[in-house]
Amino acid sequence: MNEELHERVRELVAAVPPGKVATYGDIAALAGASTPRLVGRVLSEDGLDLPWHRILRANGTPAPHLARRQLELLRAEGVLADGKKVNLRTYRWRSNSG
DNA sequence: GCGGTGACGCGGC
DNA sequence: AGCCGCGCCACCG
């Protein structure tokens, strides 16, 4: 595995500011990963020391097994969710042109 | 090398 | 609103 890529992901995830969120696809693209799945894999290994809760799926929903946790932590940062979905148009880190 | 798996994402029905 | 298939790729048995 490319440890550089691994670091890139960590850096990017850590770069997401409080009150904002990013998608796996965004992180993957910025990190240069060929697939967003790699992002999830990295977080599953070292996400413990990262603001992993700021990473959402492309539709604004968190991962099912972390959904409750995700939304709870985001809520503490001011990121409100509609049920299980977060309005990326409002909270997405950069690229929120719309 | 092969098949199954998974913090994903898009298209089709 | 749910279900399926494909692409993608490292990890595991």
Side-chain angles (χ1 to χ4, degrees):
Chain A
M1 67 153 111
N2 298 323
E3 211 162 305
E4 287 187 48
L5 176 60
H6 183 106
E7 284 250 352
R8 288 279 177 286
V9 175
R10 287 174 52 125
E11 287 287 319
L12 288 162
V13 172
V16 180
K20 297 280 249 176
V21 301
T23 71
Y24 291 95
D26 283 347
I27 300 298
L30 293 169
S34 298
T35 170
R37 306 192 62 139
L38 274 300
V39 177
R41 193 163 298 281
V42 171
L43 292 181
S44 108
E45 297 175 34
D46 301 324
L48 314 180
D49 291 317
L50 295 166
W52 56 271
H53 57 268
R54 301 193 193 132
I55 312 304
L56 297 163
R57 302 207 285 193
N59 60 359
T61 63
H65 66 276
L66 295 170
R68 294 211 333 145
R69 191 64 177 151
Q70 214 330 332
L71 297 171
E72 220 174 293
L73 290 168
L74 287 174
R75 213 152 98 78
E77 298 188 347
V79 178
L80 304 181
D82 173 19
K84 305 177 198 162
K85 283 194 295 191
V86 172
N87 188 340
L88 298 177
R89 302 265 296 180
T90 301
Y91 300 107
R92 198 177 201 177
W93 177 49
R94 318 191 320 159
S95 308
N96 55 345
S97 44

